[in-house]
Amino acid sequence: MMFFNALAMGFLLASTVETSELALEAADSVESKVERVSIVGSSVSSLELLGSTSILSNEDIEQFKFDDIGQVLTRIPGVNIRQEDGYGLRPNIGFRGVTPNRSKKINILEDGILIGPAPYSAPAAYYFPLMSKIQSVEVTKGAEMIKHGPNTVAGVLNLVTRGIPEASETGVDAMMGANGYQKLTLHHGNRKSGFGYLVEGSVISADGFKQLDNGGDTGFDKSDVMVKFDYQWNTVAIDHVVALKMSYADEFSNETYLGLSDEDFATTPYRRYSATQQDRMDWEHNQVQLTHQMQASEWNITTRLYNHDFTRSWSKLNGIRSGQGEAPPSLQSVLQSPDNYQNYYQVLTGDSDSTIREILTIGDNARRYYSRGIQLDGSIDFPLFSQEHEFVAGVRYHQDQIQRDHVEDDFFMRQGLLERTSEPQRLGATNEESTDAVSSYLQSIWSFDKLKLSFSARNESIDGHYLNRISGDWLKKTTQVTLPAFSSVYSLSNQQSVIFGIHKGFVPTSPQQSPEKAPEQSTNVEFGWRVSTSNIDAEIVGFYNQYDNLAETCSQSAGENCTTNIDIQYDAGEVDVYGFESSASGVINVPDTSLSLPWFFTYTNTQSEFQTSFASSFQQWG
């Protein structure tokens, strides 16, 4: 989709009406003091950061105005992206070799809060915020991710939304591009006498770049509305902030899982067969976050209450069924060998009508999610044994749930159009998974002359519940785990530093997995070197992740043999993943001109090896 973005930028129509630079600087200053939506902290030098941490500022994001987080993250090393729909509607993001499938093994945060529909019960992230409201992006890998769970194998992606301005500010951002692409974002905010507010709305749509055989729509429509209020006051040298954020988002996208035969892909790669004409995703997301923060000169405490509701309906072609009791070929078999299954292939393309032997089954994977909880984070600075010392701690009580109400309907292909048969609707997966989790972390940070050391630990206490609402089968299980971590940074000079870290990685199993199924666990080590001068910032980090057990679960996007084994876990045993990641950026000033040329470079090398032999039908293992 690089060509699409080039065209979109070519038709860029953008205008902003904003306050003066002084007002914006004042807003940044207040945010750094009282609005702890960042998990890194803006006052820390890159040379002093513990662990591998990358930050993209608002200026970085605004350079290209990408809507796809996958393209935004190309500036960060160690990130592996799998594109799916060409627009980044459902990103697949992994760090340091973990599967990117539905970003399920990384922690995705918005303003420091877990944003996934059900991060413990069903971590596959079918929802992702619009990039138009994101002002900065933070990626944390290595031992420092231990403060953010439940997943501690790969890393943390924190998305920071637009902050409330300190003076009246209004912005308009409009874009147009190829294939009917259009985007409009409006925001307005102000602050008076300690009270501030922000209202932001975005709509984005496209007709789609794929060509459906019957001429239908292959595009999408998305919208997002966010409202923020806060009130700031001071009592006895303590700054207080109470903030409320509410948002509503929805999406309707005409997307499918069905691919093409090799020959069709070679000649018309953007084609879609007629059998996918009813494949579409339809979702809604509601979010409420209430935050209270107290900050003094040497300590701070932040309390957050949050509730997220997400509902989705994804209708898509599931397979072929025979009304005569035969075993028809799988969709994958038809696409791999269309000449051997000519009648089935022509039904998929709409060139032939169905008979009783070529019934198309369309499933609607309807699901409802919620994610809610309370989270407290705090830190205090005090000398210990005559050394600078910071103590950081946090605790979170979290609940989430997924309810699946999957159904299937049968269709005939009639003159290129789908026609419902008289067969009754069939139930698919009809179950629910829920989790109650209490997590906590402690961190002790020691600062010497040139050396900073961090000792930390995380504890996860997870109660999972599973219920099959048809059969009545149920399962209840408890998982307890303590995850230690150590990280350090040593200053070689005022322009160079080296880092080292080691921590325990963990990814919990879902509530429906048998207690005999081991969670994914690993020992993760990283070491690296940084340099920061007036002309260049660079970093190279080596990593080695030793898995005790590498685990994956089946989803329909993982392969066709997973359609009948949805959410079943497959284990690969011991696996080693290792490599290095590097990045550099700077500015070239053109002599005798006022021109400057910013540049950046990233490179990641990742290798892995299975350490035990096993037999598995899971396609991802090869």
Side-chain angles (χ1 to χ4, degrees):
M1 286 304 297
M2 292 298 292
F3 79 96
F4 173 82
N5 286 287
L7 289 174
M9 293 302 294
F11 287 90
L12 176 63
L13 301 173
S15 62
T16 57
V17 182
E18 298 182 342
T19 58
S20 67
E21 291 184 4
L22 290 176
L24 294 176
E25 289 175 1
D28 291 339
S29 175
V30 171
E31 280 190 31
S32 67
K33 292 179 181 177
V34 296
E35 190 174 347
R36 292 194 174 272
V37 296
S38 168
I39 64 175
V40 177
S42 59
S43 63
V44 180
S45 165
S46 61
L47 292 175
E48 299 174 354
L49 288 172
L50 289 161
S52 177
T53 302
S54 302
I55 304 172
L56 296 180
S57 66
N58 186 35
E59 182 181 18
D60 297 327
I61 296 174
E62 285 292 306
Q63 283 182 343
F64 300 104
K65 294 184 179 293
F66 289 136
D67 300 316
D68 184 352
I69 183 64
Q71 292 176 310
V72 174
L73 293 177
T74 57
R75 292 192 60 164
I76 296 179
V79 177
N80 44 301
I81 305 290
R82 194 193 73 201
Q83 186 57 265
E84 181 171 323
D85 57 83
Y87 291 105
L89 300 180
R90 277 161 288 284
N92 296 277
I93 306 169
F95 300 150
R96 293 184 174 174
V98 303
T99 175
N101 192 37
R102 288 286 174 266
S103 311
K104 62 186 178 182
K105 288 195 175 181
I106 67 172
N107 296 314
I108 301 179
L109 314 180
E110 182 180 302
D111 295 335
I113 294 293
L114 289 170
I115 196 64
Y120 283 81
S121 300
Y126 289 90
Y127 163 76
F128 201 87
L130 277 181
M131 282 303 300
S132 57
K133 69 177 182 180
I134 304 304
Q135 297 297 285
S136 66
V137 174
E138 303 168 338
V139 171
T140 301
K141 305 182 290 289
E144 282 301 287
M145 82 173 79
I146 209 75
K147 293 185 291 186
H148 309 280
N151 304 326
T152 62
V153 166
V156 181
L157 171 63
N158 184 40
L159 307 164
V160 180
T161 60
R162 190 187 307 275
I164 297 174
E166 291 303 296
S168 180
E169 177 181 307
T170 300
V172 181
D173 187 1
M175 295 181 67
M176 297 178 65
N179 302 308
Y181 171 89
Q182 51 189 336
K183 180 177 73 173
L184 177 64
T185 298
L186 305 172
H187 78 269
H188 173 73
N190 199 359
R191 182 179 300 281
K192 291 184 178 180
S193 302
F195 173 76
Y197 68 88
L198 172 74
V199 180
E200 179 170 353
S202 298
V203 290
I204 178 173
S205 63
D207 297 334
F209 60 92
K210 297 178 183 177
Q211 295 91 42
L212 194 56
D213 283 343
N214 71 340
D217 191 357
T218 64
F220 69 94
D221 294 271
K222 293 186 72 170
S223 63
D224 189 292
V225 178
M226 180 179 69
V227 180
K228 287 185 175 182
F229 302 96
D230 76 12
Y231 183 70
Q232 303 177 4
W233 74 98
N234 179 275
T235 58
V236 195
I238 299 176
D239 293 326
H240 293 263
V241 179
V242 172
L244 176 65
K245 181 177 76 171
M246 297 180 292
S247 71
Y248 169 83
D250 61 21
E251 175 192 312
F252 187 89
S253 54
N254 298 281
E255 283 299 333
T256 182
Y257 278 146
L258 189 68
L260 300 171
S261 69
D262 287 343
E263 182 178 352
D264 289 336
F265 182 78
T267 56
T268 53
Y270 300 126
R271 179 184 179 185
R272 267 182 53 179
Y273 299 143
S274 291
T276 69
Q277 61 193 253
Q278 292 193 14
D279 289 17
R280 57 182 60 98
M281 167 72 88
D282 187 2
W283 62 249
E284 293 185 359
H285 182 267
N286 291 278
Q287 173 189 137
V288 178
Q289 294 182 6
L290 179 64
T291 302
H292 173 251
Q293 183 184 330
M294 297 186 297
Q295 179 165 315
S297 60
E298 296 179 345
W299 59 268
N300 68 80
I301 298 175
T302 303
T303 305
R304 299 178 176 97
L305 286 166
Y306 59 93
N307 184 82
H308 304 148
D309 292 298
F310 180 70
T311 59
R312 61 156 250 199
S313 173
W314 196 346
S315 177
K316 53 190 177 296
L317 182 67
N318 278 358
I320 305 171
R321 195 174 71 85
S322 172
Q324 295 181 335
E326 302 171 347
S330 66
L331 293 172
Q332 183 175 354
S333 298
V334 175
L335 298 186
Q336 286 179 334
S337 305
D339 292 338
N340 296 335
Y341 303 103
Q342 193 64 228
N343 53 330
Y344 296 101
Y345 169 76
Q346 291 181 347
V347 168
L348 292 180
T349 62
D351 293 331
S352 296
D353 289 349
S354 298
T355 68
I356 196 66
R357 298 177 63 240
E358 302 106 10
I359 300 173
L360 300 176
T361 298
I362 295 180
D364 181 5
N365 288 6
R367 300 176 183 178
R368 291 175 291 169
Y369 303 78
Y370 70 69
S371 173
R372 60 198 181 200
I374 180 171
Q375 178 173 315
L376 285 80
D377 299 278
S379 68
I380 183 170
D381 297 320
F382 59 91
L384 194 61
F385 302 115
S386 301
Q387 297 295 333
E388 292 184 25
H389 178 262
E390 181 183 11
F391 182 72
V392 185
V395 62
R396 179 179 66 211
Y397 175 65
H398 175 93
Q399 293 181 325
D400 63 39
Q401 183 184 80
I402 175 175
Q403 289 190 8
R404 298 180 180 90
D405 295 289
H406 298 185
V407 295
E408 287 188 338
D409 294 290
D410 290 338
F411 289 81
F412 288 124
M413 181 66 71
R414 294 287 185 261
Q415 297 182 340
L417 299 176
L418 292 174
E419 180 181 297
R420 181 78 165 80
T421 72
S422 59
E423 292 295 316
Q425 188 176 75
R426 298 183 301 278
L427 292 177
T430 308
N431 56 53
E432 62 184 52
E433 298 180 74
S434 60
T435 298
D436 293 274
V438 177
S439 57
S440 59
Y441 69 89
L442 302 173
Q443 183 179 32
S444 178
I445 304 174
W446 297 71
S447 297
F448 301 89
D449 181 26
K450 295 183 178 182
L451 178 65
K452 183 185 290 187
L453 303 176
S454 169
F455 304 88
S456 53
R458 179 176 193 85
N459 183 265
E460 290 277 355
S461 178
I462 306 170
D463 290 325
H465 309 265
Y466 168 76
L467 173 65
N468 185 316
R469 299 199 301 274
I470 299 298
S471 66
D473 295 340
W474 62 274
L475 176 65
K476 180 179 180 180
K477 66 179 184 181
T478 298
T479 302
Q480 294 269 2
V481 65
T482 299
L483 308 167
F486 168 78
S487 59
S488 63
V489 56
Y490 180 78
S491 297
L492 299 173
S493 68
N494 59 2
Q495 294 183 337
Q496 297 183 66
S497 64
V498 290
I499 63 172
F500 172 79
I502 181 171
H503 77 281
K504 191 70 174 178
F506 169 77
V507 177
T509 61
S510 70
Q512 73 164 295
Q513 303 300 331
S514 167
E516 283 73 36
K517 283 289 186 181
E520 184 168 284
Q521 296 196 58
S522 63
T523 300
N524 302 343
V525 180
E526 69 171 3
F527 47 91
W529 168 80
R530 296 187 182 122
V531 60
S532 180
T533 70
S534 58
N535 297 320
I536 188 173
D537 290 291
E539 178 180 89
I540 182 168
V541 179
F543 59 89
Y544 177 74
N545 298 346
Q546 186 180 53
Y547 288 82
D548 300 326
N549 179 53
L550 180 66
E552 291 295 339
T553 53
C554 252
S555 65
Q556 199 160 351
S557 63
E560 198 197 25
N561 71 333
C562 280
T563 57
T564 56
N565 299 295
I566 295 293
D567 298 311
I568 297 301
Q569 178 174 315
Y570 291 85
D571 296 328
E574 296 180 5
V575 175
D576 290 345
V577 179
Y578 51 92
F580 70 92
E581 54 197 35
S582 58
S583 64
S585 63
V587 177
I588 300 174
N589 295 312
V590 181
D592 302 323
T593 72
S594 60
L595 295 178
S596 61
L597 304 175
W599 61 271
F600 73 91
F601 167 84
T602 62
Y603 176 79
T604 302
N605 180 283
T606 306
Q607 301 185 51
S608 63
E609 296 177 2
F610 290 106
Q611 299 299 308
T612 53
S613 299
F614 63 95
S616 176
S617 61
F618 187 49
Q619 290 177 333
Q620 191 165 311
W621 304 143

